[in-house]
Amino acid sequence: NDEGLHRMIHNQGKLQLRNKKYPQALACFNEILKTKRDFGFNNAEDEMFTSLLWDSALASERYGKLSNAEQYFKELLGLREASKRGDFYTVMYYLACVLLNSGKNEESLRYWKKLLNAADERKICGKGDILDKLATVHTSMESYPEAIDVYEKLLKYHDERLSEKDGKNQRQYDIVLVHTKLGKLYKKMSRNFAAIKIFEKALDAKQHSGGRINPDINVRILNDIAICSFKECMYDKALKACEDSLDKNLAETEESVKNKINTYTTMGSIYRRRSDFVNATNNYKLANELHEWILVGDDVGLCVTLINLGITSYEARKYSKARAFFNKALEVQMRVSGDKSLEVAKIHSQIGRVFIKEKNYPEALRFYKLGYTTEKVAATDYAVVYTAEKIGNLLIKINDNCEAIVYLEEALTLKLKLGVDESKLLLHLCMASIKAGDLNKAFGYSDAAWKLDVERNGENHEQTLKSYGMMARVKALEGNFNEALLDYEDILSRKQRQSIAAESEASTLMDIGHVYLSVRKYTEAKYNFDRARGMLLKIFGDNERKHPSIEIVDRYI
């Protein structure tokens, strides 16, 4: 137990720590710690032992070995508590930080509360920093009301200290940062109006901060105001915030370029919502150019911009261009996260949507199935339901009805589990069963859909009458024409009393005509088809290129 040799090795470790050579520093510290433990000098009275624990904890934290740092700080905290040393709370602060960075929020929370009590009792300084960390823990735990309460206390704490002459600009700067964090919290909770008010307070506080605020913070606040305004459909306000952000974003740092990308992306989304696809595309392209030429390597941001360009092209009905953007985004995303990630699955679904618009159902099906395979492993049940239902409906379109039923029944099971409205899905299952020739199953699904709609919407709601009509259709297909006719006449009567859209009424008249046609009552059939045709002509006109519904009724006539 050579104290001089230990001190020499300890000093060598400290030098390595200062030079950020953390593995070498830890090797020095651990060598002496082991010797100290072996000889029983691992107690609070041994100053070198406690100093070694402190240095080992710091080196472990900076090297990213948080579990090791936690162990060292906890051991040191126990020794400091036993000896009543004054730096007890300093050790507790560092331990709480390590636990927070490790994601051990509940344990971290306990220490931050102890530190806050000590600050209230004036045993330690730094109450503002402790409140800030406490709010961060609550936010990480998604305890948003508690986080808001702590941020409000922090603002009050800073406001009370503004009257002090020394450090006034610093406290004004702190107020800006707290307002910014509080605004982001409201934004995360989708309380966008509250978020906008808080962000505007941050901008106001910034005017009194003596120029201490980094310009990038100002730009980010304006971008947040733009996003919140956009979400509440305040497009003029959102565009004004974006323009102000670009006016103030004059630096050429990497941070300022990222902020410009966010601004152009938001402007693209605003113009897209307004169906101004030219301006939307131009702004997305500006964001894309910054990604490709300035932020080389920021594949995540590049992917977001490419997807936005794809969505804009899709909504502008430029489907081949949309596919090109989505395929490029897919290539980038696979480079970032591999081919089995949820992000890749979402792009597969976007490509599937494009192929549906192009009526290329086999290709659409292929991409949706690729996404579905990943979603079953990585996504929530809500995402799986949507994709399974989409696949089922695509399979109906290409007349693969038996496989369609498999996917739609899986979607039904998940919807029942999640408590999501399943009436429309039941009608899709009814249609697939009709096409597959299983009329018993089809009637069961249509009956279940009708009963559900009656319970939720009442007997005269348009959705209820739709499921009622599907049930009548199954009866007609089963040869039960009299019952089918009675049902259709009842549906027509309800639609006429409710003043439901004329096109829907014409559809029921066509159904009635079809039943009469099936039983060879041609006079009655033609009478109902003529009535339906007259109504459709009033809606769509008698043009050279006929509406599909008029073409169908003409064939029946």
Side-chain angles (χ1 to χ4, degrees):
N1 190 24
D2 187 332
E3 195 70 21
L5 180 61
H6 288 175
R7 190 169 288 107
M8 185 179 73
I9 298 172
H10 189 187
N11 287 336
Q12 180 65 27
K14 285 182 176 180
L15 181 63
Q16 302 285 15
L17 180 58
R18 279 198 297 273
N19 291 331
K20 300 182 180 180
K21 295 181 178 179
Y22 305 122
Q24 294 89 329
L26 284 166
C28 292
F29 300 147
N30 287 334
E31 184 179 344
I32 316 169
L33 279 173
K34 183 179 183 306
T35 305
K36 290 278 185 185
R37 294 184 198 281
D38 289 345
F39 283 90
F41 292 99
N42 53 335
N43 53 58
E45 284 71 38
D46 190 320
E47 288 292 331
M48 185 178 288
F49 181 75
T50 55
S51 179
L52 281 163
L53 284 175
W54 176 262
D55 290 332
S56 297
L58 288 181
S60 298
E61 182 198 16
R62 290 168 191 175
Y63 190 41
K65 304 287 186 182
L66 296 181
S67 59
N68 291 347
E70 179 189 337
Q71 289 173 7
Y72 288 128
F73 279 130
K74 280 184 174 176
E75 185 176 357
L76 182 57
L77 188 67
L79 294 173
R80 289 295 191 237
E81 189 171 24
S83 63
K84 307 296 182 187
R85 283 285 297 269
D87 61 353
F88 169 70
Y89 288 110
T90 304
V91 178
M92 185 183 288
Y93 176 88
Y94 276 88
L95 173 58
C97 286
V98 167
L99 290 167
L100 174 59
N101 293 332
S102 302
K104 297 182 178 180
N105 295 313
E106 290 185 8
E107 193 176 356
S108 176
L109 186 64
R110 289 199 297 272
Y111 286 113
W112 289 118
K113 285 181 176 178
K114 287 179 181 178
L115 287 163
L116 183 60
N117 289 335
D120 286 336
E121 293 169 7
R122 299 185 181 278
K123 292 179 181 177
I124 55 172
C125 302
K127 182 177 177 179
D129 185 38
I130 293 166
L131 283 167
D132 185 64
K133 293 289 196 304
L134 191 57
T136 302
V137 177
H138 281 306
T139 303
S140 298
M141 296 172 71
E142 298 185 359
S143 304
Y144 299 137
E146 290 84 351
I148 288 170
D149 184 54
V150 176
Y151 277 131
E152 295 289 358
K153 287 177 182 175
L154 182 54
L155 283 171
K156 185 179 178 184
Y157 171 78
H158 287 313
D159 282 337
E160 287 170 353
R161 292 163 60 84
L162 272 177
S163 57
E164 299 173 14
K165 188 174 181 181
D166 293 336
K168 185 173 181 179
N169 287 344
Q170 173 63 43
R171 279 185 282 284
Q172 199 73 54
Y173 173 73
D174 291 336
I175 287 170
V176 173
L177 294 184
V178 177
H179 274 126
T180 303
K181 290 177 182 178
L182 185 56
K184 285 186 179 295
L185 187 55
Y186 278 121
K187 179 183 162 192
K188 188 178 285 189
M189 296 168 71
S190 297
R191 293 175 59 181
N192 295 306
F193 289 111
I196 291 166
K197 277 188 177 181
I198 297 293
F199 286 133
E200 286 174 344
K201 283 184 180 180
L203 287 177
D204 183 58
K206 189 256 179 191
Q207 307 302 321
H208 308 287
S209 63
R212 289 182 58 88
I213 300 293
N214 182 331
D216 286 331
I217 293 175
N218 204 36
V219 169
R220 285 199 297 270
I221 293 169
L222 286 164
N223 281 348
D224 282 324
I225 290 173
I227 291 167
C228 292
S229 302
F230 167 69
K231 286 179 178 177
E232 295 300 332
C233 302
M234 297 188 292
Y235 302 131
D236 289 337
K237 186 180 180 73
L239 277 174
K240 176 70 168 58
C242 286
E243 287 161 2
D244 288 348
S245 173
L246 289 172
D247 286 344
K248 295 182 185 300
N249 194 353
L250 303 175
E252 292 297 332
T253 64
E254 184 173 316
E255 184 66 26
S256 69
V257 173
K258 286 181 179 178
N259 288 331
K260 280 180 186 173
I261 289 167
N262 291 335
T263 308
Y264 286 130
T265 301
T266 303
M267 290 178 81
S269 299
I270 295 164
Y271 285 120
R272 193 178 85 213
R273 186 70 64 82
R274 285 178 156 180
S275 298
D276 184 348
F277 298 121
V278 173
N279 272 320
T281 302
N282 288 341
N283 279 281
Y284 284 138
K285 280 183 176 177
L286 285 168
N288 190 44
E289 285 168 11
L290 289 174
H291 274 301
E292 289 189 328
W293 302 110
I294 299 173
L295 288 178
V296 176
D298 182 16
D299 284 342
V300 175
L302 174 59
C303 197
V304 170
T305 306
L306 287 167
I307 289 170
N308 282 327
L309 282 164
I311 292 170
T312 305
S313 301
Y314 173 86
E315 291 177 355
R317 300 180 183 180
K318 296 177 180 178
Y319 300 124
S320 59
K321 190 176 277 190
R323 247 189 309 110
F325 283 125
F326 287 136
N327 281 323
K328 183 73 185 295
L330 182 63
E331 179 187 320
V332 174
Q333 189 62 60
M334 287 174 77
R335 192 163 67 231
V336 171
S337 58
D339 61 351
K340 299 296 182 187
S341 71
L342 192 53
E343 289 75 18
V344 167
K346 288 176 181 176
I347 299 171
H348 281 144
S349 295
Q350 294 283 12
I351 296 171
R353 275 208 314 162
V354 177
F355 277 121
I356 287 174
K357 286 293 184 183
E358 293 177 323
K359 299 194 184 316
N360 188 343
Y361 300 126
E363 276 300 290
L365 192 60
R366 184 170 75 85
F367 276 95
Y368 273 115
K369 281 187 173 181
L370 283 170
Y372 177 75
T373 304
T374 302
E375 284 175 357
K376 287 200 76 173
V377 178
T380 63
D381 286 342
Y382 290 97
V384 176
V385 162
Y386 169 80
T387 308
E389 193 169 357
K390 182 65 75 175
I391 291 170
N393 292 334
L394 276 170
L395 287 163
I396 291 172
K397 282 183 182 291
I398 61 174
N399 285 318
D400 194 343
N401 299 296
C402 293
E403 191 181 358
I405 290 169
V406 172
Y407 280 95
L408 293 174
E409 285 183 339
E410 182 171 350
L412 179 62
T413 302
L414 288 172
K415 281 198 171 186
L416 292 169
K417 173 186 165 186
L418 296 167
V420 177
D421 181 15
E422 71 273 25
S423 62
K424 289 182 181 178
L425 176 55
L426 287 166
L427 293 182
H428 293 152
L429 273 162
C430 175
M431 179 62 71
S433 300
I434 288 171
K435 289 190 168 188
D438 192 340
L439 295 179
N440 284 333
K441 211 173 199 181
F443 184 79
Y445 284 129
S446 62
D447 184 53
W450 176 69
K451 286 175 179 173
L452 194 64
D453 287 330
V454 168
E455 183 184 329
R456 290 181 179 170
N457 307 314
E459 290 187 349
N460 295 321
H461 191 275
E462 190 167 1
Q463 179 60 34
T464 308
L465 296 178
K466 188 175 181 180
S467 54
Y468 189 6
M470 188 63 82
M471 195 161 55
R473 181 179 176 184
V474 177
K475 288 178 182 178
L477 290 168
E478 288 177 325
N480 195 346
F481 299 115
N482 289 334
E483 275 197 39
L485 203 53
L486 287 171
D487 286 345
Y488 279 133
E489 293 286 2
D490 186 31
I491 291 165
L492 181 63
S493 173
R494 290 174 186 275
K495 284 183 177 181
Q496 288 169 339
R497 289 201 303 271
Q498 292 292 315
S499 299
I500 286 173
E503 188 179 356
S504 177
E505 193 177 326
S507 174
T508 304
L509 286 167
M510 286 169 68
D511 289 329
I512 292 169
H514 194 268
V515 175
Y516 280 121
L517 192 61
S518 298
V519 295
R520 300 184 181 183
K521 291 188 176 181
Y522 301 122
T523 303
E524 292 87 344
K526 188 173 183 303
Y527 169 72
N528 283 282
F529 288 140
D530 283 340
R531 286 175 66 194
R533 190 176 193 279
M535 296 180 84
L536 292 170
L537 286 173
K538 282 183 182 178
I539 301 167
F540 302 113
D542 191 9
N543 303 313
E544 186 178 339
R545 187 177 178 182
K546 293 180 181 177
H547 188 273
S549 296
I550 297 174
E551 285 186 346
I552 291 169
V553 79
D554 280 351
R555 282 203 302 273
Y556 282 140
I557 290 169

